[in-house]
Amino acid sequence: MIDNVLIAVEDNEERMRPVVEHASEIASALSATVTLFHVYEPGEFENKLDARSLESADPSDIALDDPIVEMTSEMLRDAGLEFTVVAATGDAGEEVSEYIESHEVGHVFLGGRDLSPAGKALLGSVSQSVILNTDVPCTVVN
């Protein structure tokens, strides 16, 4: 049984909305909790710290004020789902995969890219990395 699903949060609101909508439907049907997982590139995270005049902080605390995380959180609240926000810094594909392997994640939802017909076999680098490096079922939503 799937008790926890993970939504890999990316910085594109247009791509995230259908991912969260689809994940919300599945999580509701399964009575699963949701983890919103966001990864900051190191330089991006340093800029966020500088903007807050901080020398260091937990990425998860910074993510709570991130507009895309706020939007996805609001969508999950509207769907009546329990969720947590977790964030990390580093390579997105590696960080998501490591989190999945070290936590009890039953399913992963990722955003896809709009590709040409010839490129449909290719995924975004994060989606591809997660799918190839974990044994957890993944849904890529375009």
Side-chain angles (χ1 to χ4, degrees):
M1 177 152 194
I2 297 173
D3 295 321
N4 187 27
V5 301
L6 181 140
I7 299 173
V9 178
E10 61 175 281
D11 286 328
N12 184 306
E13 184 177 326
E14 188 176 312
R15 279 199 300 264
M16 282 308 303
R17 284 192 181 280
V19 175
V20 176
E21 288 169 358
H22 188 71
S24 294
E25 290 176 19
I26 303 298
S28 291
L30 297 170
S31 298
T33 59
V34 177
T35 300
L36 291 175
F37 194 82
H38 187 55
V39 180
Y40 293 104
E41 293 179 11
E44 175 189 13
F45 188 68
E46 293 299 322
N47 290 340
K48 293 206 177 273
L49 291 177
D50 290 345
R52 291 169 175 79
S53 300
L54 298 172
E55 289 185 30
S56 66
D58 183 327
S60 297
D61 292 336
I62 299 298
L64 293 173
D65 292 329
D66 195 296
I68 195 76
V69 174
E70 288 177 345
M71 184 269 304
T72 56
S73 296
E74 183 178 334
M75 290 178 72
L76 294 173
R77 272 193 290 285
D78 290 348
L81 292 167
E82 292 183 32
F83 65 94
T84 57
V85 175
V86 178
T89 60
D91 177 81
E94 289 177 16
E95 294 295 330
V96 172
S97 297
E98 287 176 15
Y99 184 87
I100 292 165
E101 294 303 319
S102 63
H103 293 78
E104 293 185 23
V105 175
H107 198 96
V108 179
F109 293 89
L110 304 141
R113 307 245 187 243
D114 289 329
L115 301 170
S116 67
K120 290 287 184 188
L122 301 174
L123 300 169
S125 60
V126 174
S127 299
Q128 184 171 348
S129 176
V130 171
I131 290 168
L132 294 175
N133 292 307
T134 64
D135 293 329
V136 175
C138 299
T139 300
V140 178
V141 181
N142 284 333

